[in-house]
Amino acid sequence: MKVLPFTMLVPDDKSVITEHVNLPFFYQYLHRHDEWQLTWVKKGEGTLIAGNNMHSFRSGDLFLIGANLPHLFKSNPEYFTDEDKNIEACSLYFNPSGVLGGLFNLPEMSMISAFLKNNKHGFKIPSAYTDQVIAKVIQVHEATGTDVLFNLINLLNSLHSIKDQVIPLCSQLYSSDLSETEGIRLSNIINYIMRNYNNQIALEDIANAAYMTPQAFCRYFKKHTGHTFVSFLNEVRINDACKSLIAGKKTDCISGVAYKAGFNSITNFNRVFKNIIGQSPRAYVDAYNNVSKVNRLSA
């Protein structure tokens, strides 16, 4: 199975594709495909860009990504420089509107079909349910013949049972209607931001990288992401800062985390952090530490 930007080549002899990857870093281009994708991150840390939203990911996380949703698992920067770092992931791909259409059109599948339709962009599986879902992902991976379909239905039933607990990947209002050419163009823009966010990026710099005037770039970026360039850049930086703050490195002070993430003012960092996260960096760290302490005591 070869994944190209916005295109997936599907084997003719399979209705459910299973994939296991062990690489230095995740596939680094924004892409989409007709298939739904369920990915279990066995090893690795970074940022998942899904539609017009971002989510941190770490080892053990599970994501169901909707059909045709532009997405990118962006590994942390150290995965591109440290030879000892690597990622590992298991994924399933299935298309209810393609070769599996006959199955999903059965009356008995109406509840599952409606569930997928109501969660068209996909979601993150809450950590409380990852172990049970991972076990069912493994069953699909290891199955052959008709057992693949039986185990897939069993997996989808498990996801449906926790439908009120899942975390949407992006807003229902987001539109993923992009041509392949526009998808590649947007992929290049986002990759530029992800490579350079911890440095100062002027609007003129990113516009030049996209071969557009600043005014045209602003309109284009807002139209396809729902964000202004500055708001998207700030979310990328705050996402990086959150990961650094909870990484447990006692040598990392808040100001150091702010400058590492690309902010040149601690005052601006605190303001943006609170606007996006809803609390100050210190309160965020304290809340995380308190939850971690409770989890250790209850273990």
Side-chain angles (χ1 to χ4, degrees):
M1 180 178 61
K2 184 179 181 182
V3 180
L4 300 172
F6 289 72
T7 305
M8 174 176 287
L9 302 182
V10 182
D12 293 332
D13 60 344
K14 291 186 178 181
S15 56
V16 180
I17 303 169
T18 61
E19 177 188 60
H20 178 267
V21 296
N22 192 328
L23 298 166
F25 44 80
F26 278 100
Y27 180 75
Q28 56 183 325
Y29 296 101
L30 188 75
H31 61 287
R32 71 177 181 184
H33 34 72
D34 293 336
E35 293 74 18
W36 285 74
Q37 173 180 340
L38 178 62
T39 292
W40 165 30
V41 181
K42 295 182 69 174
K43 183 179 181 183
E45 296 82 30
T47 300
L48 168 62
I49 296 176
N52 62 348
N53 210 350
M54 287 171 283
H55 304 264
S56 296
F57 70 81
R58 65 186 65 188
S59 302
D61 282 347
L62 264 170
F63 299 91
L64 180 66
I65 300 169
N68 287 309
L69 182 73
H71 60 279
L72 162 67
F73 282 93
K74 185 66 175 178
S75 299
N76 280 348
E78 60 267 24
Y79 284 81
F80 297 90
T81 57
D82 188 344
E83 294 183 356
D84 294 327
K85 288 278 189 182
N86 70 290
I87 63 94
E88 187 176 359
C90 288
S91 295
L92 305 177
Y93 302 88
F94 62 96
N95 186 356
S97 300
V99 67
L100 289 173
L103 174 65
F104 279 84
N105 286 331
L106 293 173
E108 293 81 1
M109 291 293 289
S110 60
M111 197 162 56
I112 295 298
S113 296
F115 167 64
L116 294 177
K117 184 177 180 180
N118 291 336
N119 294 275
K120 62 181 180 179
H121 296 318
F123 48 80
K124 180 179 180 182
I125 288 85
S127 58
Y129 302 98
T130 54
D131 286 346
Q132 74 178 59
V133 177
I134 286 171
K136 297 183 185 303
V137 170
I138 293 172
Q139 288 175 351
V140 178
H141 268 279
E142 295 178 346
T144 58
T146 56
D147 285 342
V148 174
L149 299 180
F150 291 135
N151 288 336
L152 175 66
I153 293 171
N154 192 24
L155 168 61
L156 294 175
N157 279 328
S158 292
L159 294 177
H160 179 266
S161 70
I162 60 172
K163 63 181 184 298
D164 296 328
Q165 308 295 320
V166 299
I167 305 162
L169 292 186
C170 63
S171 166
Q172 284 285 92
L173 299 176
Y174 172 77
S175 173
S176 56
D177 186 19
L178 283 174
S179 68
E180 182 163 330
T181 299
E182 290 304 319
I184 295 172
R185 188 181 203 180
L186 187 58
S187 173
N188 291 335
I189 291 170
I190 291 177
N191 277 321
Y192 181 92
I193 295 171
M194 298 302 292
R195 287 195 305 268
N196 297 284
Y197 68 85
N198 52 354
N199 299 312
Q200 296 307 305
I201 306 177
L203 175 58
E204 290 75 13
D205 295 333
I206 186 69
N208 287 337
Y211 303 101
M212 303 169 77
T213 67
Q215 294 79 8
F217 171 81
C218 288
R219 291 192 297 270
Y220 176 89
F221 195 80
K222 177 72 173 179
K223 175 183 176 181
H224 290 298
T225 69
H227 290 269
T228 66
F229 165 63
V230 172
S231 70
F232 185 87
L233 179 60
N234 280 338
E235 289 206 19
V236 171
R237 287 172 169 170
I238 294 300
N239 185 67
D240 178 76
C242 286
K243 288 184 289 190
S244 296
L245 287 170
I246 65 176
K249 298 178 181 178
K250 299 184 184 300
T251 56
D252 284 347
C253 61
I254 289 178
S255 60
V257 166
Y259 293 122
K260 174 179 173 289
F263 290 91
N264 57 13
S265 162
I266 188 63
T267 301
N268 185 42
F269 170 70
N270 287 331
R271 179 184 59 79
V272 173
F273 193 100
K274 189 168 185 177
N275 284 342
I276 293 175
I277 303 300
Q279 57 188 162
S280 70
R282 176 55 60 195
Y284 176 82
V285 173
D286 290 343
Y288 176 82
N289 289 336
N290 289 336
V291 171
S292 298
K293 183 178 180 181
V294 170
N295 289 339
R296 287 195 301 270
L297 292 175
S298 60

